[in-house]
Structure formats: structure tokens, C-alpha cells
Amino acid sequence: MRLRGKHIILGITGSIAAYKAAILVRLLIKEGAEVKVIMTPLAKEFITPLTLATLSKNPILVDFFNPENGDWNSHVDLGLWADLYLIAPASANTIAKMANGVADNLLLTTYLSAKCPVMVAPAMDLDMYNHPATQKNIKTLQGIGNIIIEAATGELASGLSGKGRMEEPENILSSVVDFFFTSSRFSNKTVLVTSGPTFEPIDPVRFIGNHSSGKMGSSIAESFAQQGARVIFITGPAKFLPSNKNIEIISVQTAEEMFCASTNNFSSVDIAVMAAAVADFTPMNVGNSKLKRETDEISIKLKPTKDIAAYLGKVKSKSQLLVGFALETDKELENAKNKIKNKNLDIIVLNSLNDKGAGFGFDTNKVTIINKKSEILSVELKSKTEVANDIVDFIAEEFDRLRGKG
Ligand code: CTP
């Protein structure tokens, strides 16, 4: 009963593989899960709602409301009820709609309002699967954090043979069980994440800032929260904020405020990830009124800000894990390794400004992750959500080692 108490929505679309959904429902129920099934109208042509209602022990949901009594099937409530939304089989059509935010049936509106992780098992003919449009849509879903259970290779309904078969129900079940294992990996753990830029005021209307959007920090916070952690997210004025019920957001403006919020919370955390692009300098004096354009030249005297990562490195206990970021332009590895030492970090994530598509302003990133023993993991260019998952996996292994589980 590895899924006891888990709430799973199974979304079934119009694909011949829909017949395998019956076996999948049985396997999920046998493992103790509670299953609610949503079908697209076309899915009913491939397998009867009666079969699925009997196996899942719940009424099958297809329409937005029950035509007999007018009761709404609330996609919002469904989305909140579920611990996992599994869409299997997912046809090319439904995948395309999901990737584009189309909401023309209950399966899709529930997808758009679901707060839980989403797993997608594609099923279609090999040419449809290989088509660049489908591949792009699958990449889009992956990029926004959906878990794709890759199609298998074999005989297809069309009589052709190739990649496109929905993965076998037993293997989908294993992915679901693995998912729930990792989703509780950080339960009872608290993680602090700093993110975004800081704005250092010059006068009441101007500031010194930087281009950090907060996307990397936000994706890391989401990934930890999805894996069961309570997250304290301390952010400067950033474009991207995470949204997950396990994340508490503390908004700050300046490096000094970020320092205070971080040090106030640090003693209660197990892991701290310093993803913020903190300003290194701040004006010595902040004007009370707007600086006038009276002279040809002005100079603003700057003083260094407090180094939050270095401070936490000094005060951290043996059981706390501290992760820093480094943005380097030259002698990247050497500088990153020096930062591990100088700030007493356990791990550093190196961004290189020389890599195309990586760093500020991009949706993608390419990083090198290094631990104290100089073990290195190079993460190729991919979406920041996927990079965040790789970073969190690396941190999880290091954390287990630190706590003597590795
Ligand atoms: N950092 C911090 N507080 C600061 C400056 C940096 O916590 N006042 C953290 C960043 O969040 C990052 C790490 O320190 O995790 C390294 O930041 P980076 O700007 O690359 O390094 P600096 O120490 O500022 O060194 P330099 O800019 O000279 O490379």
C-alpha cells in the first residue's frame, strides 16, 4: 500500500491506449490511492465510464456540470483535492492544448487550476509523436515543471511500429510511487531561499539595482516545496515569485533588509540557498529629497553591503547546509572554488556569463554545481525549472551525506 491516503486525479483522453487506463486505476487503488477519473468527451468512445467508475469507486467526471441536476463539477475543488494529476493516456491534441492554456473541457480546466504536480503519459502514433510541434509542446510542459513519462517503443494501433505507445500501466505506477517518494524527501525540513535583485536607494525615486528576474530562485523554491519542504523565500523586487502553499514569502528591498530577514530566520532552517543577486555596494548617504540636476557631474559614494552568504557561513552549525551561487566571467571554476572556501559554503552553483542562453533574463540556464570536495556536476542548457530540479537533487544527496545517510 505504497500510495495509502494519496489523492490522484486520472485524466483520460481520446486515445486507443485509454483501455489501459482500467488496469492503471486498479493498480493505483490496490496501492491504497483514492482515484477520481476525468475523461475528455472523446475518451468515452474508447472505454466506458461505467468500467472506470466501478474500478475507481467514484463517479466519472466529463462535463462541467451534471445535466440532470445542474450540479457543478468544480475544477478548482478537484485541483485542490489532488496530490497528483496524472494524465494517461495524453493524446497529441490534449498535450497541445495543455501547452497553450486551452480550456475547452473539464480535464483541461482542471489542469489549469491544479495546484498539485502533473504527470503526463503521452500516447499517439509515431509520426505524431516525432512531429516537431508535438515535441515542442512536450518540451513546453516539461519546462513548466510537468513530469513526462516518455512514450515507449513498440507496436502501435496503426499497425506501424515505433515510439508513441503509452508506457505500460505497471511502469506508470512505478513512476507515481517514485514521485511520491521524492515528494516527501524534504518533509519536516525547512529551507531558506534568497532570490531576485536588491534595490539600493540613492534618493526617494532612484536606486541602484540589477537585472535579476528571480526566476532561478523562484524555481528552486518551488522544487523544494514540491518535495515536501517548508520554504522561507526572501526576495528582493523580482519579476518571478513562487506560488506553493509550503512557501512563505518575505519581500525586502535592500541588501540590509535581506541580511536581517535571512539572519533572523537562519537558526530554524536545515538548508539555505543564496540565489539572490545581492548588490555589493550601497550609497553611503540616501538623499531625503530627489537629487536635482544642478551640476554637470555628481558622484555617489558607495559602501560595501554585508555579505549574507559569508555571514551565514560563519554562524552555521554542522548540520546546516549552505549553498551559494557565483556569476563569473573569467577563471570561473577557480573563482567558484575560492568562493566555497571564503564563504564556508557546502555547495556552489556556477553561472557563466559566457554561456549563451544562460543567466539574467533567460528562461534557460546552464550551470556547474560544485561541492566542497570539488566534485562537479555540469548541467546542460535547459529550462530554469529543470535546472532547479537538478540543483535540488544535488543538494539532497549532499544533505543526506551531511546527516550521515549517504
Ligand atoms: N551574496 C550575499 N550577500 C552579498 C553578496 C553576495 O549573500 N552581499 C551571495 C550571493 O547570493 C551568492 C554568493 O554570495 O550566493 C556569491 O555572489 P557573487 O556576487 O557572485 O559574489 P561576491 O561575493 O559578491 O563576489 P564578486 O562579486 O566579487 O565576484
Side-chain angles (χ1 to χ4, degrees), residues 4-37:
R4 190 196 302 271
K6 299 295 180 209
H7 291 176
I8 299 175
I9 303 176
L10 177 63
I12 303 176
T13 73
S15 151
I16 181 67
Y19 80 90
K20 293 190 195 167
I23 305 164
L24 187 53
V25 172
R26 242 184 44 154
L27 292 173
L28 293 169
I29 298 276
K30 261 174 99 178
E31 289 288 354
E34 198 177 322
V35 180
K36 291 189 180 176
V37 175

Side-chain angles (χ1 to χ4, degrees), residues 194 255 258-259 273-281 305-310 323-328 335 339 343 345 348:
T194 65
M258 190 171 274
F259 178 85
V273 182
M274 308 280 99
V278 188
D280 286 327
F281 292 94
T305 56
K306 290 176 190 153
D307 189 326
I308 307 166
V323 183
F325 272 68
L327 184 67
E328 305 290 344
N335 284 338
K339 271 182 194 161
K343 302 193 190 213
L345 305 172
I348 197 151

Side-chain angles (χ1 to χ4, degrees), residues 21-23 25-26 29 35 47 49-58:
I23 305 164
V25 172
R26 242 184 44 154
I29 298 276
V35 180
I47 182 163
L50 182 61
T51 308
L52 294 164
T54 312
L55 291 171
S56 69
K57 305 184 180 85
N58 270 315

Side-chain angles (χ1 to χ4, degrees), residues 38-201:
I38 305 179
M39 300 173 84
T40 61
L42 192 61
K44 289 197 298 182
E45 305 292 330
F46 291 91
I47 182 163
T48 72
L50 182 61
T51 308
L52 294 164
T54 312
L55 291 171
S56 69
K57 305 184 180 85
N58 270 315
I60 302 306
L61 305 161
V62 180
D63 300 311
F64 290 113
F65 59 91
N66 182 336
E68 267 140 44
N69 58 18
D71 271 359
W72 272 97
N73 290 323
S74 166
H75 54 92
V76 176
D77 290 350
L78 275 168
L80 292 175
W81 172 84
D83 298 310
L84 176 71
Y85 190 3
L86 169 63
I87 302 179
S91 63
N93 183 38
T94 291
I95 288 173
K97 288 180 179 178
M98 288 163 70
N100 289 286
V102 177
D104 64 0
N105 62 43
L106 187 67
L107 183 147
L108 291 164
T109 49
T110 306
Y111 170 69
L112 290 179
S113 49
K115 291 264 180 268
C116 62
V118 177
M119 239 179 206
V120 183
M124 65 201 75
D125 211 38
L126 78 163
D127 295 320
M128 292 173 84
Y129 191 73
N130 282 332
H131 195 284
T134 305
Q135 286 302 316
K136 183 171 150 253
N137 291 333
I138 290 177
K139 276 248 155 347
T140 301
L141 296 186
Q142 254 168 340
I144 52 181
N146 294 173
I147 304 157
I148 305 293
I149 302 175
E150 260 197 59
T153 302
E155 206 176 294
L156 299 163
S158 60
L160 298 171
S161 189
K163 194 166 180 174
R165 277 170 71 93
M166 184 177 85
E167 189 47 277
E168 291 306 321
E170 290 75 11
N171 295 339
I172 295 180
L173 177 74
S174 298
S175 298
V176 171
V177 170
D178 285 353
F179 160 78
F180 278 113
F181 170 72
T182 47
S183 70
S184 60
R185 182 149 73 170
F186 291 107
S187 55
N188 305 319
K189 299 285 174 286
T190 305
V191 179
L192 184 153
V193 179
T194 65
S195 181
T198 62
F199 285 180
E200 308 302 322

